[in-house]
Amino acid sequence: MTTVDDPGAELDDFPTLTQRYQRELLAHCYRMSGSVQEAEDLVQETFLRAWKAAEKFEGRSSVRTWLYRIATNVCLTNLENKPRRPLPAGLGTPDAVAGDALEMDHEIAWLEPVPDAAVVVAERDSIRLAFVAALQHLPARQRAVLIMRDVLRWSAAEVAEALDTTTAAVNSALQRAHAQLAERGLTEDTVCNELSPAQEQLLERYVDAFWRKDVDAIVSLLTAEATWDMPPFTSWYKGARNIGWLIGTECPGGAMDMPMLRTSANGQPAYGLYMRTPTGDFEPFQLQVLELDGDRVRHVTAFFDHALFEKFGLPLRLPADHQPADHQPA
């Protein structure tokens, strides 16, 4: 018989255990892998290993800590000999300029966005797209050290035990990881936890500008040095005017062709953008994840993976008479 003081009591009810830790372990495995699909598989493997090893649990830590140790090692095994998952701006190529040809690369395993509804995180900055993209530049074990020390707030000794290494090695790996993140300008003040009323109004104007395909209005909502990338296209764009050219010239829709539905990804505002079809209704076109800077948009990653719409709970079709809320007839 288990008691409340028994650290292994949770293991007696594995379905409840799975439900309790599923979403936070998914966030952990997503940070490590950069893929929602892989993260889901890694979490299942974690629970399978935990179930098989439940009788060997010694209670030297909480069940939660024990599960994170298993999940981390499952992720490290999975990442062996795998390339990192980048975004186009992380490929090391220069930004594209107006008129450059667009090129796709479906061979690259691109970084994926994660629905906020699928994960539990204590701090939003630990899941934002720029942070997860930066993590992918770190070697796998260095990535694990940074996540366990800075996100999970484990001590160096706890991390060393989990990774079967020394505290000196953990501290050294953390120092190198911090240096890499600093090079990419990622600090705690690069993310805001809550959107202000002004930012909510900005997002409304952004949706309206796309619906009307008012390129000048879109440009006015971007910071001067805004960036835009759109996997699986390898090109990325810098500068509001450059992005305006991209939307005005390369985007196939016209006025009243591109409605957006709001969602959230990686702790950031996101939108499913639809495109009008020849028959008049709307189909998925791209999922945009936005990073804001005050009352402007600083970065947009537009994912052209239509499977993301279902993963984010967005409809796969909109009727021909669909209009954004602000344009509904009175």
Side-chain angles (χ1 to χ4, degrees):
M1 180 176 179
T2 60
T3 67
V4 175
D5 295 327
D6 179 2
E10 291 179 287
L11 295 173
D12 293 336
D13 185 354
F14 226 83
T16 300
L17 177 86
T18 302
Q19 186 176 24
R20 179 176 299 137
Y21 296 112
Q22 173 84 26
R23 292 170 67 205
E24 62 175 287
L25 286 175
L26 182 64
H28 181 62
C29 294
Y30 167 72
R31 292 185 194 98
M32 287 291 294
S33 67
S35 164
V36 178
Q37 182 62 55
E38 280 189 27
E40 290 171 346
D41 293 341
L42 293 168
V43 171
Q44 293 308 308
E45 176 64 19
T46 295
F47 283 127
L48 178 60
R49 291 193 188 184
W51 179 73
K52 290 180 177 179
E55 292 184 358
K56 299 177 183 177
F57 178 72
E58 299 176 351
R60 291 185 295 152
S61 67
S62 68
V63 169
R64 179 176 180 270
T65 297
W66 182 65
L67 288 172
Y68 270 101
R69 288 180 61 178
I70 296 173
T72 301
N73 284 287
V74 166
C75 289
L76 289 173
T77 299
N78 174 69
L79 290 169
E80 288 178 2
N81 302 317
K82 279 191 175 181
R84 64 183 176 87
R85 286 181 172 267
L87 289 175
L91 292 175
T93 55
D95 55 297
V97 297
D100 285 355
L102 293 173
E103 295 184 6
M104 281 189 178
D105 192 333
H106 289 288
E107 298 300 314
I108 296 174
W110 297 102
L111 178 66
E112 301 170 357
V114 64
D116 283 2
V119 295
V120 169
V121 295
E123 299 167 343
R124 286 176 59 186
D125 61 343
S126 74
I127 203 72
R128 69 193 190 279
L129 202 57
F131 179 71
V132 178
L135 288 177
Q136 306 312 302
H137 289 269
L138 303 176
R141 287 179 69 83
Q142 205 176 103
R143 196 182 309 172
V145 166
L146 184 134
I147 292 170
M148 288 191 285
R149 290 286 281 122
D150 287 3
V151 177
L152 302 180
R153 310 297 185 191
W154 287 18
S155 69
E158 289 173 320
V159 176
E161 183 180 0
L163 299 180
D164 192 24
T165 187
T166 65
T167 55
V170 166
N171 290 331
S172 177
L174 183 63
Q175 187 176 20
R176 294 195 301 273
H178 281 164
Q180 285 219 38
L181 292 191
E183 286 179 10
R184 289 171 173 78
L186 286 170
T187 59
E188 291 182 0
D189 60 4
T190 57
V191 63
C192 57
N193 288 326
E194 298 295 337
L195 296 179
S196 68
Q199 288 174 323
E200 289 289 356
Q201 292 173 8
L202 161 68
L203 294 175
E204 291 173 5
R205 295 197 301 273
Y206 185 83
V207 170
D208 176 69
F210 266 91
W211 175 243
R212 294 184 293 106
K213 202 178 182 180
D214 185 337
V215 175
D216 288 339
I218 295 172
V219 169
S220 74
L221 299 174
L222 305 175
T223 64
E225 296 298 306
T227 52
W228 181 291
D229 52 16
M230 44 188 188
F233 292 96
T234 58
S235 304
W236 64 282
Y237 294 81
K238 184 175 182 179
R241 291 294 170 188
N242 213 22
I243 294 169
W245 172 87
L246 174 71
I247 296 169
T249 305
E250 299 293 338
C251 186
M256 275 70 80
D257 283 343
M258 295 182 287
M260 287 179 162
L261 293 184
R262 178 84 173 261
T263 183
S264 56
N266 298 79
Q268 300 166 229
Y271 290 92
L273 185 149
Y274 294 77
M275 187 66 66
R276 193 181 294 276
T277 70
T279 57
D281 61 351
F282 301 93
E283 63 183 6
F285 185 63
Q286 59 184 216
L287 182 86
Q288 293 188 12
V289 182
L290 278 60
E291 182 181 340
L292 306 185
D293 182 4
D295 61 352
R296 292 290 184 272
V297 178
R298 172 166 52 195
H299 181 76
V300 176
T301 301
F303 295 90
F304 278 84
D305 181 358
H306 296 170
L308 291 173
F309 279 67
E310 184 174 7
K311 197 171 287 288
F312 276 77
L314 294 168
L316 300 183
R317 288 276 169 179
L318 294 178
D321 60 356
H322 175 87
Q323 292 185 20
D326 289 346
H327 294 273
Q328 297 286 357

